[in-house]
Amino acid sequence: SPNFPMMFGAVEIFTTKAMIAYAMGSWKCGQQLPWGSWGEDYYMTHCLDFLGVGRIADFGVLGDNVCTGANCLDPYTGSFHPFKTIDSWMQCWGQATIKPTTAAPLPAPAR
């Protein structure tokens, strides 16, 4: 799809340069793109494309049960989606914030 990779609402990360480009040129998007029925994730993807801001696909930032799976124990994932009930959210949060156990020290090498 020409829309891939696309922001999809759960988490969107922008560089300072991207936000400066948006601040300076968003009026162009409002006037020149047919954005009226778009969601904000679709709008931002297309507006930033229109303004010449590139995309980076980093699927490690978000653990998403809709597309790639959400392993709440993954210490390298910054956010998890969707957990729409209090119980499922609390369970994932509990797993994500558990303190790692310290491994037993390795025995000293034999001499």
Side-chain angles (χ1 to χ4, degrees):
S1 164
N3 296 319
F4 185 82
M6 187 185 109
M7 294 178 272
F8 57 94
V11 162
E12 293 143 356
I13 300 169
F14 303 100
T15 65
T16 301
K17 286 183 178 182
M19 288 292 87
I20 291 169
Y22 180 73
M24 302 297 288
S26 63
W27 65 272
K28 295 176 191 175
C29 299
Q31 290 182 356
Q32 299 176 33
L33 295 176
W35 58 268
S37 63
W38 297 352
E40 62 33 75
D41 46 4
Y42 192 84
Y43 168 81
M44 285 301 288
T45 298
H46 285 80
C47 180
L48 292 174
D49 283 349
F50 184 72
L51 298 174
V53 176
R55 305 181 202 179
I56 297 172
D58 184 350
F59 297 105
V61 173
L62 172 68
D64 181 61
N65 262 341
V66 175
C67 296
T68 60
N71 177 0
C72 298
L73 293 169
D74 182 351
Y76 300 103
T77 300
S79 57
F80 307 95
H81 176 265
F83 293 94
K84 298 193 182 270
T85 67
I86 293 171
D87 289 340
S88 66
W89 188 92
M90 292 297 291
Q91 181 179 4
C92 185
W93 181 79
Q95 291 173 354
T97 59
I98 194 167
K99 292 186 187 334
T101 59
T102 55
L106 296 173
R111 295 186 183 199

